[in-house]
Amino acid sequence: MEAVQFSTVASRHFSAASHSFSTSRRSWCCRDSSNDARKPSRFRSSWTGSSSPTSLSSRNLFTRELWGWVNSKSVTVGRGTHGVVVRAEMFGQLTSGLEAAWNKLKGEEVLTKENIVEPMRDIRRALLEADVSLPVVRRFVQAISEQAIGVGLIRGVRPDQQLVKIVNDELVKLMGGEVSELVFAKFGPTVILLAGLQGVGKTTVCAKLAYYLKKQGKSCMLVAGDVYRPAAIDQLVILGEQVDVPVYTAGTEVKPSDIAKQGLEEAKKKNIDVVIMDTAGRLQIDKAMMDELKEVKRALNPTEVLLVVDAMTGQEAAALVTTFNLEIGITGAILTKLDGDSRGGAALSVKEVSGKPIKLVGRGERMEDLEPFYPNRMAGRILGMGDVLSFVEKAQEVMRQEDAEELQKKIMSAKFDFNDFLKQTRAVARMGSMTRVIGMIPGMGKVTPAQIREAEKSLKIMEAMIEAMTPEEREKPELLAESPVRRKRVAQESGKTEQQVNQLVAQLFQMRVRMKNLMGVMEGGSIPALSNLEEALKTEQKAPPGTARRKRRSESRKQFVNSASTRPNPRGFGAGN
Ligand SMILES: Nc1nc2c(ncn2[C@@H]2O[C@H](COP(=O)(O)OP(=O)(O)OP(=O)(O)O)[C@@H](O)[C@H]2O)c(=O)[nH]1
């Protein structure tokens, strides 16, 4: 068998051969699927030939190949039909609990309200056992169920894999979505105040953080503010030496807020970039500790106030973050001891319960064991299903491309109907907020938030009217164009005015012509086509009043006449029937 590295030939020639991913060899193997003979040159010719890699058939092949990949015996994704079990080391119990949920869906064709009941119960149980707080679990399961029922069928993707993807995306959201970066002061030293209960790893985090920031080229200074445990000062000095960072100490007789002020002055004199202040912990929250922290905070005016919490305390960690935030005001949390026997409750609950992000995580006792908290990586680890996730993402991408191609055909033949309209609007909604989507369209940079809000409102109104149409009317808008009675019915059923329905129908016909024209401009390539599109948009905007519109109107009329099986009433919308 001709084995090649995926990164080289196979990546470019993906759909020309069938692939299997062997985890033991960590390389991609390509085999000509139509002919077992080993003919690497044939792969090349099929891709340098006339058939475009983006043609519909090649994409179908691509989907099939991916399907083969993820189902091949050598792929290690979960138990049962996939063969070997891969379980994330971290949160092992949670991972196997969730695995039970996917397994319940084996053999199902689609996700339905009925067949997700059991998996949802498993997900709920797994999260509760991981010590995730109950309200968080409730919201999470609710969100998953809603999406699972509403999700469309993706060709080649099994329902259990779809569910894995939905759970993954929700887990990422639950943990805050994006990485929450540390904030640095614009002028003078950045001050990071660390707080937390006894033994959670504060002192260790001080040094780890200095080590982490030093690697980013920042000079650091540690300030020893734990005056109640003399050993804590010594510990900080030793750790400071270990990471080669100066430590400011003033003994145990000085008030922590004074130590803070003196330390900060010293750092300013030395032009230090970041000052990290260690504070005393307590066995549990008490008023004296909170008052002292408030005083230190006032003295330092810190850029970041980070609460250090122990991951092994589960949802208790989330409750602590909430309390500290209410009492002293914090900017985020650092979760330590994630390398230990933590069940996941803390990582999953902190953001949702307290509203404050986990900024960093400690995963060991060594100085280098501190890293940013990546919600997506964490979700991946919890699920232990990297292969399935990337497969579903790729399949979704392929589906989007196929959709786009079908859409393109409809646009070119001016057959774009209300079903397409609804489908496209919903697809856009799935891509994220309107602001984000608009931001990706060339020439749309100057759209104001107010305009976007208006557009979102209009889309909702349009959706309501389209939903009140019969399937036949959606497919053949001509029926509505010809019949005021139908339009009146749609208006009544959707709770909108007849004028709004008339406008919507008229807009669809105008849209058909405009899109056909623009698609014509875009044909022929990607990058030049994009600039052509921008040019076309600009020309449309610049055209003297009346010219473009007149041209569009006449084309719109022509198109309308062509597309209607019977001609609409020449008196136009609103004329009696
Ligand atoms: N396994 C593991 N151990 C850690 C981690 N972070 C800290 N520790 C250990 O936890 C213990 C307590 O850490 P300290 O830094 O002394 O905790 P502290 O919060 O400063 O404690 P007090 O000074 O008593 O308030 C030490 O043995 C550390 O080595 C971590 O991420 N993983």
Side-chain angles (χ1 to χ4, degrees):
M1 182 184 284
E2 179 78 23
V4 286
Q5 282 297 315
F6 177 60
S7 56
T8 54
V9 186
S11 60
R12 277 177 282 120
H13 299 227
F14 196 68
S15 62
S18 70
H19 305 265
S20 67
F21 181 55
S22 155
T23 43
S24 56
R25 281 182 296 130
R26 289 274 159 212
S27 67
W28 281 78
C29 302
C30 297
R31 186 165 56 83
D32 186 336
S33 56
S34 59
N35 183 344
D36 251 343
R38 283 136 231 180
K39 294 177 184 168
S41 58
R42 200 173 162 272
F43 302 153
R44 269 170 227 130
S45 63
S46 71
W47 283 90
T48 47
S50 58
S51 100
S52 140
T54 54
S55 73
L56 195 64
S57 58
S58 65
R59 267 200 304 271
N60 284 346
L61 196 60
F62 178 63
T63 317
R64 216 191 54 188
E65 298 307 334
L66 273 171
W67 174 237
W69 161 34
V70 102
N71 277 288
S72 86
K73 286 195 183 72
S74 54
V75 174
T76 53
V77 283
R79 212 197 316 255
T81 55
H82 299 305
V84 194
V85 178
V86 165
R87 188 163 296 153
E89 283 166 44
M90 199 188 285
F91 312 148
Q93 199 186 343
L94 175 57
T95 307
S96 10
L98 291 172
E99 217 174 83
W102 331 134
N103 286 339
K104 296 267 162 61
L105 286 166
K106 295 277 155 67
E108 297 287 349
E109 305 256 302
V110 282
L111 293 172
T112 65
K113 204 173 167 186
E114 289 72 36
N115 69 16
I116 63 159
V117 172
E118 279 271 322
M120 287 306 135
R121 209 170 286 150
D122 289 333
I123 292 174
R124 186 185 153 90
R125 193 180 306 127
L127 291 171
L128 287 173
E129 278 170 7
D131 202 17
V132 179
S133 87
L134 185 60
V136 174
V137 175
R138 280 204 189 116
R139 278 196 294 276
F140 187 83
V141 173
Q142 170 86 14
I144 304 269
S145 313
E146 279 166 15
Q147 285 179 59
I149 298 166
V151 76
L153 187 71
I154 302 175
R155 187 148 30 90
V157 181
R158 290 192 320 250
D160 57 309
Q161 293 170 322
Q162 263 178 311
L163 187 63
V164 172
K165 179 72 170 69
I166 295 171
V167 171
N168 174 75
D169 293 352
E170 272 308 307
L171 282 176
V172 174
K173 237 196 262 171
L174 186 66
M175 291 185 278
E178 304 287 312
V179 177
S180 185
E181 308 269 359
L182 284 176
V183 175
F184 295 99
K186 287 202 179 74
F187 312 101
T190 294
V191 180
I192 302 177
L193 173 60
L194 295 180
L197 295 185
Q198 226 168 54
V200 291
K202 259 185 314 348
T203 309
T204 318
V205 162
C206 280
K208 280 181 181 173
L209 192 51
Y211 181 78
Y212 171 81
L213 293 170
K214 254 184 75 178
K215 276 196 290 181
Q216 296 178 12
K218 302 203 186 294
S219 58
C220 298
M221 176 188 264
L222 306 179
V223 180
D226 184 352
V227 294
Y228 306 101
R229 192 170 66 92
I233 299 176
D234 299 339
Q235 188 188 350
L236 198 68
V237 171
I238 292 167
L239 289 172
E241 272 168 19
Q242 217 173 307
V243 294
D244 197 18
V245 163
V247 181
Y248 183 83
T249 61
T252 52
E253 299 303 317
V254 186
K255 258 172 53 176
S257 56
D258 291 337
I259 297 175
K261 272 187 228 156
Q262 293 162 12
L264 184 56
E265 279 314 306
E266 184 73 12
K268 281 180 184 163
K269 270 189 234 153
K270 291 189 168 153
N271 263 335
I272 295 283
D273 298 323
V274 186
V275 178
I276 303 166
M277 170 101 189
D278 189 20
T279 57
R282 299 280 198 283
L283 279 175
Q284 57 204 26
I285 292 174
D286 63 29
K287 191 173 174 309
M289 173 170 83
M290 287 299 181
D291 289 345
E292 189 178 285
L293 274 172
K294 281 180 205 166
E295 224 178 288
V296 173
K297 192 181 168 194
R298 264 196 303 275
L300 282 176
N301 189 22
T303 329
E304 290 272 13
V305 183
L306 300 173
L307 185 72
V308 184
V309 282
D310 182 335
M312 291 202 269
T313 58
Q315 56 174 299
E316 180 58 28
L320 273 178
V321 177
T322 311
T323 312
F324 270 78
N325 187 38
L326 291 175
E327 287 282 333
I328 58 168
I330 62 169
T331 54
I334 298 181
L335 202 57
T336 59
K337 308 186 190 179
L338 260 184
D339 53 315
D341 191 21
S342 132
R343 286 176 291 166
L348 291 173
S349 311
V350 165
K351 178 73 197 323
E352 181 78 0
V353 170
S354 70
K356 292 289 157 187
I358 298 172
K359 294 207 168 190
L360 296 154
V361 289
R363 302 188 56 202
E365 293 183 78
R366 296 171 317 159
M367 289 300 106
E368 54 269 44
D369 293 333
L370 184 80
E371 56 189 54
F373 179 65
Y374 297 101
N376 56 348
R377 291 189 199 170
M378 191 60 75
R381 277 178 187 149
I382 290 172
L383 296 173
M385 290 240 178
D387 287 344
V388 170
L389 292 175
S390 53
F391 164 67
V392 177
E393 265 157 28
K394 279 178 186 144
Q396 278 173 336
E397 184 58 34
V398 170
M399 196 186 72
R400 274 198 288 275
Q401 285 174 18
E402 286 184 358
D403 263 4
E405 217 165 63
E406 197 189 309
L407 177 68
Q408 184 171 343
K409 270 195 214 149
K410 282 206 157 180
I411 291 174
M412 288 311 284
S413 58
K415 292 219 168 85
F416 188 81
D417 59 31
F418 281 119
N419 284 322
D420 301 314
F421 183 90
L422 211 56
K423 196 166 156 189
Q424 293 311 313
T425 325
R426 286 177 180 162
V428 166
R430 277 202 304 274
M431 283 166 70
S433 75
M434 192 85 155
T435 322
R436 218 187 107 213
V437 177
I438 295 282
M440 292 190 285
I441 304 175
M444 297 290 286
K446 288 195 193 90
V447 178
T448 65
Q451 282 172 308
I452 286 174
R453 275 196 301 277
E454 269 313 299
E456 276 170 343
K457 246 194 263 165
S458 308
L459 280 176
K460 282 213 177 81
I461 296 174
M462 286 180 193
E463 253 192 75
M465 292 190 276
I466 297 172
E467 271 163 4
M469 294 172 189
T470 65
E472 210 190 358
E473 286 164 351
R474 286 190 206 174
E475 209 179 307
K476 293 189 191 130
E478 297 79 16
L479 295 174
L480 289 161
E482 289 159 12
S483 164
V485 175
R486 284 180 187 264
R487 297 200 297 272
K488 191 170 178 179
R489 196 209 71 242
V490 171
Q492 275 166 354
E493 282 178 22
S494 61
K496 309 292 168 217
T497 65
E498 279 178 60
Q499 201 196 355
Q500 281 173 310
V501 178
N502 292 348
Q503 238 175 25
L504 176 70
V505 177
Q507 267 169 358
L508 186 89
F509 285 99
Q510 284 163 14
M511 206 170 168
R512 276 183 171 180
V513 177
R514 254 200 323 271
M515 287 202 304
K516 187 179 172 186
N517 289 346
L518 285 175
M519 190 59 87
V521 176
M522 283 174 77
E523 257 190 338
S526 53
I527 296 165
L530 215 59
S531 54
N532 285 349
L533 173 64
E534 282 179 278
E535 275 310 305
L537 286 169
K538 273 188 215 145
T539 319
E540 276 226 341
Q541 279 158 12
K542 275 190 213 146
T547 49
R549 221 178 304 140
R550 247 196 319 274
K551 187 162 176 266
R552 270 203 309 272
R553 231 186 275 141
S554 80
E555 285 188 47
S556 172
R557 242 178 262 130
K558 223 188 295 164
Q559 147 61 21
F560 183 86
V561 170
N562 289 343
S563 61
S565 49
T566 46
R567 292 201 175 176
N569 189 322
R571 277 173 295 165
F573 302 136
N577 204 20

